Amino acid sequence: MTMSDDDIIAPRQSRSGGRSRAPFPGGEARGPIIDQEGHEIRPEALEQGFREFRFEFGKDSPFAGNPFGNLTREQRIARLEALAKLLDVAFVLPGTNIRYGIDGLIGLIPIVGDIITTAISLWLVREARALGAPWYLTARMLGNVAVDGVVGIVPLAGDAFDVMFRANMRNVRLLRRWLDKQPRI
């Protein structure tokens, strides 16, 4: 079924006379609207749209110094896990099962690439410390970053080591194991 140009420019009206937001023919969507986390979204919130969406990074703003706002502990952990996967295992080498991430790609740039990826890895350790990780855990995480950074400086062999060692995934795994042992508050 093809759409005419008129349907693209001016969408069809529903039988009730109002505009249909449903992507299927035959009327309005039924049932609650659910966000990605499984929470119901009130219709009033949808009608309001982005009217309240604004950037306020001044010193009196609730987002001062942190453009991401106040994330929950689980959101911060999910962000760390997503970043570690992007850095270490985001792609698959065609024809093999070897996984690599942007850490291996950026590391191909001599010296500068390794400095950049080491800085990102250090940020992951800093976030783990902000989540309450003890000194012995952060020391082990720093050791993983140091090994990855020092060996990664060696041309080609260091990049192959980066792909296989996966320091960021190791660090997030260490953090997750420690967090799973902590009592729930």
Side-chain angles (χ1 to χ4, degrees), residues 77-89 102 120-121 123-124 168-169 172:
I77 295 166
R79 181 175 64 180
L80 292 178
E81 288 174 343
L83 184 59
K85 286 178 183 176
L86 178 66
L87 287 169
D88 290 340
V89 294
I102 61 172
I120 295 170
S121 297
W123 180 80
L124 286 172
N168 300 303
M169 290 298 292
V172 168

Side-chain angles (χ1 to χ4, degrees), residues 23 33 73 100 117 157 178:
I33 300 170
R73 184 180 185 112
Y100 65 97
T117 56
W178 177 79

Side-chain angles (χ1 to χ4, degrees), residues 54-75:
R54 61 185 175 275
F55 292 103
E56 294 180 9
F57 297 124
K59 64 179 181 179
D60 297 331
S61 165
F63 302 109
N66 186 2
F68 298 109
N70 295 327
L71 299 176
T72 65
R73 184 180 185 112
E74 286 303 316
Q75 289 171 332

